[in-house]
Structures are given as C-alpha cells and as structure tokens.
Amino acid sequence: MGLFDSTTKFESSVKQIPYSQQAVYENISDLRNLEKVRDRMPQDKLQDFAFDEDSVSVSVAPVGELKLRICEREEPKCVKFETVQSPVSFNLWIQVLPVDEQNSKMKVTVKAELNPFIKGMVSGPLQDGVEKIADALSMIKYE
C-alpha cells in the first residue's frame, strides 16, 4: 500500500431480479454456476475463463490475469470476494436483498486501495466493469 493510497468504492446500480433471494444466493455462492454465463462473456476481451466452487480466473485485455476467491459467504444476502492475482488489489461484494417471495434486488460493489495516479487511470474502467458484472448477473436464470 502506497503512501497516498485511499479507499475508493465503486457501486453498480441496483438490479431487479425476478427470482427469490435464496435462489440467487445459492447460485452466486457456488462459482461452478458461472457455466451459465460463459456464452455471455465478450470473447474479444476475456480469455482463459476458469472457475471452481470458490474461485474464478480470467485474462482481461489489456489488464492481464485476474483471479478472485470467495472470502466470505453471508447466507442469503452477500458473497464477498478478494483478489488473489490482479494488477490492483480489491474486494468485491455481491449483495442480494429480498423484494418479496419471488423477487430480489442486487448490487455489486468494489472497494480498492488506489493511489491518485492509478485512480485516474482505472476509475472509469472499474465503474464500467462493476456495472457490466451487475448487468450480466441480472440476466441469469436462477432456477
């Protein structure tokens, strides 16, 4: 951590999900379920997409290899990830809240320690990435 690092938070907009909180949580807390979204990944930007129950890795152009691991599961409302390998270390949360029996809402948050120079370069792409993750997660069939 550098001398001028400060914590920066990036939040997606809230996404409405037409599935129960429990159904969504059960899917996002086991990363083997990423198989459902493999075909939605932009192949020109992502390569070497791999995952198991607790971690996911992908090569992102032009960033390089990213590997995230689930570090906390808070059933049925939150799954927290930490970086294992990344040019910038960060944590990512996926929060799921109930709306009613059949509907829930979701928000993706990234918190990173960034110095002012790096922050200027990565803020736009990180905010965009958080929103794209939330969009992709909102389109999954959580049956």
Side-chain angles (χ1 to χ4, degrees), residues 94-139:
I94 303 172
Q95 293 167 280
V96 186
L97 295 170
V99 173
D100 58 31
E101 295 282 312
Q102 284 83 39
N103 296 282
S104 55
K105 55 188 179 179
M106 173 189 291
K107 182 169 81 172
V108 177
T109 304
V110 165
K111 202 183 274 188
E113 295 289 328
L114 302 173
N115 69 46
F117 177 71
I118 297 291
K119 184 177 177 179
M121 290 192 309
V122 302
S123 286
L126 262 174
Q127 183 63 53
D128 191 42
V130 165
E131 198 62 37
K132 283 188 170 130
I133 291 167
D135 282 341
L137 290 171
S138 71
M139 292 186 269

